[in-house]
Amino acid sequence: MWEKIVAAYFSPTGGTRAAALATARAFGAPVEELDLSAREGEERRLETELAVVAVPVFGGRIPGVAAGRLRRLSGERTRAVALAVYGGRAYEDALLELSDLLEERGFQVTAAAAVVAQHSILPELAAGRPDGDDCMELTAFATRVQEKLMRGDDSPCAVPGNRPYRQWTPSPEVPEADGRCVRCGKCAGECPVGAIDPGRPERTDRERCIGCMRCVARCPVQARALPREMRERLRQKLTPFLGVRRENEFFL
């Protein structure tokens, strides 16, 4: 049915990319990946009939940087499947915000989902997700989306959330390196916002950092982390969710 599916994602630590690709590949067509974490990029109209667009959830919202990267894209009524990928606590207004943004950019949001992936700061939460069961659910979801479109049903889907979107203030704490840092520069090269100086990778620019944890995930010697006090506060906050398997939610 499809010549090509575009999977566009902002995925600092990999979970959002995994959800996007599991969904896109289930349509049975070649998949073109579009990584929105790249700092440089031009305005682009997606040359495809169907796009899967996935972003992570930060504090119940989509990251402002991800929103900015999405505004580089235009759809001109391209059908889109919107995915808000969250770490097992809650996705709140993020899926609605993503759907609104895609509509603003000319996409036709025909389906949407809130998908669980391993938490980027507390990896014990939703550990290993999306897992095999999640991928089966995403495959079944893609089948339902395809059936909807084959019926000629282009109706928009309704998703939960509130307008105005919830307020969220990023934490002032940022990842920094300890004495294990070997100054390889990998963190600086892969930071989506250029918050790490290659000449002083042990430090992080607090004004630029968005707390995406990519530098922590990509450090080859595990030298980067958030301050211990913040990690402990977050652990206490999220402990009630550790024993709960959040279900993915799908909207057609």
Side-chain angles (χ1 to χ4, degrees), residues 18-60:
L21 292 183
T23 305
R25 289 169 177 163
F27 286 94
V31 175
E32 175 189 344
E33 294 188 49
L34 179 56
D35 185 355
L36 299 173
S37 67
R39 285 179 234 164
E40 302 299 327
E42 299 178 350
E43 295 282 335
R44 175 179 172 181
R45 185 173 73 85
L46 292 192
E47 301 288 345
T48 183
E49 293 182 273
L50 182 67
V52 175
V53 183
V55 297
V57 178
F58 288 8

Side-chain angles (χ1 to χ4, degrees), residues 62-77:
I62 68 174
V65 170
R69 306 280 165 87
L70 285 171
R71 289 191 174 94
R72 297 174 182 170
L73 309 180
S74 61
E76 296 187 14
R77 304 309 295 165

Side-chain angles (χ1 to χ4, degrees), residues 126-143:
R129 298 184 70 180
D131 56 21
D133 289 342
D134 294 315
C135 289
M136 286 192 293
E137 289 185 8
L138 291 169
T139 297
F141 170 58
T143 299

Side-chain angles (χ1 to χ4, degrees), residues 48-196:
T48 183
E49 293 182 273
L50 182 67
V52 175
V53 183
V55 297
V57 178
F58 288 8
R61 298 284 302 276
I62 68 174
V65 170
R69 306 280 165 87
L70 285 171
R71 289 191 174 94
R72 297 174 182 170
L73 309 180
S74 61
E76 296 187 14
R77 304 309 295 165
T78 295
R79 299 181 180 98
V81 177
L83 304 182
V85 183
Y86 72 108
R89 184 191 66 84
Y91 61 92
E92 291 160 311
D93 297 334
L95 188 57
L96 177 63
E97 184 179 10
L98 174 59
S99 298
D100 287 347
L101 178 54
L102 290 173
E103 293 282 353
E104 171 192 313
R105 298 304 301 161
F107 292 88
Q108 185 174 343
V109 180
T110 192
V115 183
V116 179
Q118 182 169 302
H119 199 281
S120 60
I121 300 177
L122 188 67
E124 302 97 309
L125 182 57
R129 298 184 70 180
D131 56 21
D133 289 342
D134 294 315
C135 289
M136 286 192 293
E137 289 185 8
L138 291 169
T139 297
F141 170 58
T143 299
R144 293 171 60 201
V145 174
Q146 191 147 274
E147 290 171 348
K148 174 183 177 179
L149 295 176
M150 289 179 67
R151 293 195 303 268
D153 184 354
D154 281 327
S155 60
C157 67
V159 300
N162 299 290
R163 301 185 188 95
Y165 313 127
R166 74 187 305 272
Q167 294 294 316
W168 177 64
T169 302
S171 170
E173 303 288 352
V174 300
E176 295 188 348
D178 59 26
R180 291 173 292 178
C181 176
V182 296
R183 294 176 172 261
C184 67
K186 188 174 180 64
C187 58
E190 297 202 20
C191 176
V193 294
I196 304 170

